[in-house]
Amino acid sequence: QVQLQESGPGLVKPSETLSLTCTVSDGSISNYYWSWIRQPPGKGLEWIGYIYSSGSADYNPSLRGRVIISVDTSKNQFSLNLSSVTSADTALYYCARMRGVGATRGWFDPWGQGTLVTVSS
Amino acid sequence: EIVMTQSPATLSVSPGESATLSCRASQSVRSKVAWYQRKPGQAPRLLIYGASTRATGIPARFSGSGSGTEFTLTISSLQSEDFAVYYCQQYNNWPVTFGPGTKVDIK
């Protein structure tokens, strides 16, 4: 059964870049879509973006311009970079595999346990 | 962007009873709704997709229904492990969006 694990710094300074990696184990990253989702404290879940194993990606318009998701199939990993962070980017960040085919894709299974990233000086 | 709302915010239920959780979309999302369960410190778990299809390994006491803008997750005969927060999510329009969650706690 595929498992996902987020890793990266738990503290990032304002204006810097938040970088997280999701490692996929017990399964291949190839031929699937992979996503990042976050939840700020006391707020709802927000989809950040997705990447296909070939490298094509799409992002939430609310974050477009600050976010880049990349994939490294040789390491079975995909990564999130979010630039110019502020305290509003403090959140629990999850990685997840996106399921479904074509126009029916868009639900998530499985998810990682999440990693808390705090933006503070 | 489609706004998903959930009610109630908190549902207090006794073990063995059933629970009915509601989710509403700001516009039609057809049947493209998923439901997730989240417990503290754990990864969210997919329960339902396509509004009514149970994910692999999900017990039959979890059932989903609805289409258009109104959706329901029913948990029959709640077990101790079912007390958690439940989220609905639409994937008919991008960006996909989630509801704020319903917390099911022990009465």
Side-chain angles (χ1 to χ4, degrees):
Chain A
Q1 182 168 330
V2 171
Q3 297 186 67
L4 286 72
Q5 180 65 58
E6 306 88 350
S7 59
L11 181 64
V12 181
K13 290 182 168 55
S15 79
E16 295 189 344
T17 296
L18 180 160
S19 296
L20 295 175
T21 295
C22 182
T23 300
V24 179
S25 57
D26 298 325
S28 174
I29 202 168
S30 297
N31 302 316
Y32 283 101
Y33 288 87
W34 305 90
S35 269
W36 288 96
I37 297 158
R38 69 179 183 178
Q39 186 170 35
K43 296 189 177 182
L45 291 159
E46 178 183 35
W47 171 74
I48 297 171
Y50 70 68
I51 190 163
Y52 188 62
S53 54
S54 64
S56 62
D58 195 13
Y59 307 114
N60 193 318
S62 68
L63 296 169
R64 200 168 282 150
R66 292 202 297 134
V67 61
I68 296 175
I69 298 176
S70 58
V71 63
D72 186 337
T73 55
S74 68
K75 293 183 179 179
N76 239 30
Q77 294 176 334
F78 63 104
S79 299
L80 169 69
N81 279 275
L82 183 65
S83 62
S84 304
V85 297
T86 70
S87 58
D89 295 307
T90 292
L92 185 59
Y93 284 79
Y94 292 101
C95 59
R97 183 174 65 179
M98 194 166 72
R99 304 305 306 278
V101 178
T104 66
R105 70 174 184 265
W107 70 91
F108 303 100
D109 178 53
W111 298 53
Q113 286 198 314
T115 187
L116 179 62
V117 179
T118 300
V119 178
S120 175
S121 55
Chain B
E1 178 173 306
I2 293 178
V3 176
M4 304 295 284
T5 56
Q6 291 185 245
S7 61
T10 302
L11 188 58
S12 297
V13 184
S14 299
E17 292 183 341
S18 65
T20 300
L21 288 65
S22 296
C23 174
R24 175 175 292 179
S26 59
Q27 64 188 73
S28 176
V29 294
R30 298 191 284 176
S31 294
K32 294 184 178 180
V33 163
W35 289 90
Y36 304 89
Q37 176 194 69
R38 190 175 72 178
K39 299 179 184 178
Q42 295 188 18
R45 176 191 184 195
L46 173 70
L47 301 174
I48 302 284
Y49 62 94
S52 61
T53 301
R54 269 191 305 277
T56 302
I58 301 303
R61 64 180 182 273
F62 291 91
S63 63
S65 63
S67 66
T69 61
E70 303 283 342
F71 301 88
T72 300
L73 175 70
T74 301
I75 313 170
S76 61
S77 188
L78 262 96
Q79 307 295 302
S80 57
E81 62 266 29
D82 300 335
F83 293 97
V85 180
Y86 293 83
Y87 297 92
C88 62
Q89 175 228 334
Q90 68 81 21
Y91 53 96
N92 188 63
N93 289 63
W94 292 89
V96 301
T97 49
F98 295 84
T102 291
K103 181 179 181 180
V104 178
D105 65 16
I106 300 175
K107 188 173 182 181

